[in-house]
Amino acid sequence: MQIVKTVAEVREAVRAWRAEGLTVGLVPTMGFLHEGHKSLIVRAVAENDRVVVSDFVNPTQFGPNEDLESYPRDLERDAALCEEAGAALVFNPEPSEMYAPDACTFVDMDALTGELCGKTRPTHFRGVCTVVSKLFNIVTPDAAYFGQKDAQQLAVIRRMVRDLNFGLRVVGCPIVREEDGLAKSSRNTYLSADERQAALCLSRAIFAGQKLVEDGERDAATVTEAMRAIIEAEPLARIDYVKMVDFDNIELIDHIADGQPVLCAIAVYIGKTRLIDNFIVE
Ligand code: PAF
């Protein structure tokens, strides 16, 4: 497995693979990889001849008071996980390799980004769309793999790929959880022992909401209120949002209609750490 720092090296590797007629999968990540990322890489390896993992903490998707500086990084551990999962190349650029000092072109989206995480983090999806477009242009993959844990991001990327005619498949992969239910996240490492315990209110709320819907509840407020009550019972938790939206358009809904793909998403601060989780009603 290669670990490279420059766009030119990625292009060179991809050119050689293409010359052999091989297919290429891309798993975009911000590093500090866990089992959730590994499941994306394993799936990409199963479906493509060669897999590129990008490992880049993208500065443009962090707001001014967010955790860009403290975001955890460990390239050595990431590389070992990528190799074990069967990746062919890890792309770990410096910010200066990805963004010229006078870079002034961004990919922005008029819809899908005004609710949920886009409401709390107004510049976040502009940064995500921009870096993911750049990665698509650098790697030119046949397919790209994203976790359903960032469900709004998945919907946004799908729409961007459609709108900008990127010739690739976007593959959404299921949430991977710890044994006790907490969704895997690089940000879980910020949690103290007490906070780690408190964070279980997210998955408890998700499972309870999912059960209500499975049992036939169709009123969005009834489901989200039941979920809020579970989170509010946890003293270390502060709700950012608990919402139900149409999964295609990320617009709020009152009622779950038959056949409509619905996303029920939550964001909760546990102490200073903001965690997200969700379930999807297909
Ligand atoms: O989901 C992430 O880790 C990031 O938002 C992504 C897609 C790698 C873009 O930086």
Side-chain angles (χ1 to χ4, degrees):
M1 189 189 73
Q2 284 175 269
I3 303 174
V4 305
K5 293 267 178 200
T6 67
V7 172
E9 287 168 297
V10 179
R11 290 212 160 115
E12 187 46 45
V14 173
R15 201 172 302 128
W17 296 334
R18 292 295 187 199
E20 289 180 60
L22 302 178
T23 59
V24 180
L26 169 66
V27 182
T29 82
M30 295 210 301
F32 213 71
L33 306 180
H34 50 65
E35 289 298 313
H37 297 109
K38 192 171 179 185
S39 72
L40 304 182
I41 303 169
V42 166
R43 169 104 181 250
V45 167
E47 296 181 358
N48 300 272
D49 297 318
R50 295 289 182 273
V51 169
V52 174
V53 178
S54 62
D55 187 317
F56 176 58
V57 181
N58 171 39
T60 63
Q61 69 189 76
F62 288 78
N65 298 316
E66 293 182 352
D67 55 344
L68 172 61
E69 297 310 325
S70 59
Y71 196 85
R73 294 157 167 89
D74 188 343
L75 179 61
E76 213 172 299
R77 208 175 57 102
D78 290 351
L81 182 145
C82 289
E83 183 143 42
E84 198 183 305
L89 185 144
V90 174
F91 177 41
N92 175 238
E94 291 300 323
S96 56
E97 178 70 9
M98 290 298 279
Y99 295 103
D102 57 350
C104 55
T105 309
F106 296 90
V107 179
D108 213 344
M109 195 171 277
D110 282 347
L112 280 84
T113 57
E115 267 301 336
L116 310 182
C117 290
K119 193 166 193 165
T120 314
R121 308 178 71 192
T123 56
H124 175 68
F125 286 111
R126 183 173 98 136
V128 170
C129 287
T130 302
V131 79
V132 171
S133 298
K134 288 162 75 72
L135 291 167
F136 287 171
N137 285 332
I138 294 164
V139 179
T140 62
D142 298 284
Y145 296 77
F146 295 87
Q148 185 205 298
K149 182 168 151 287
D150 294 297
Q152 185 175 18
Q153 170 173 282
L154 179 58
V156 164
I157 301 287
R158 281 198 170 122
R159 182 64 65 91
M160 180 184 83
V161 164
R162 189 204 72 179
D163 287 354
L164 298 185
N165 303 95
F166 283 108
L168 57 91
R169 234 165 14 99
V170 174
V171 182
C173 302
I175 296 177
V176 177
R177 297 182 180 279
E178 304 284 355
E179 264 182 26
D180 59 9
L182 181 68
K184 299 237 183 204
S185 164
S186 306
R187 289 192 169 98
N188 290 350
T189 52
Y190 296 155
L191 302 169
S192 68
D194 286 351
E195 289 172 341
R196 172 68 182 74
Q197 198 54 33
L200 291 177
C201 70
L202 278 93
S203 49
R204 273 205 305 276
I206 289 295
F207 299 150
Q210 201 163 15
K211 171 124 188 9
L212 276 174
V213 175
E214 276 165 15
D215 290 349
E217 184 57 64
R218 291 291 173 264
D219 180 55
T222 304
V223 178
T224 53
E225 282 311 314
M227 294 169 69
R228 289 187 85 91
I230 291 171
I231 301 165
E232 280 164 359
E234 172 48 63
L236 294 181
R238 183 168 56 84
I239 293 176
D240 178 0
Y241 62 75
V242 178
K243 287 182 179 168
M244 270 208 190
V245 296
D246 176 303
F247 191 29
D248 291 330
N249 299 311
I250 315 291
E251 284 171 6
L252 292 175
I253 57 159
D254 295 331
H255 186 80
I256 304 173
D258 280 346
Q260 176 189 28
V262 167
L263 166 66
C264 181
I266 66 179
V268 177
Y269 290 92
I270 302 291
K272 287 195 176 127
T273 306
R274 185 172 173 282
L275 299 176
I276 57 174
D277 203 343
N278 68 74
F279 68 92
I280 290 169
V281 187
E282 296 292 351

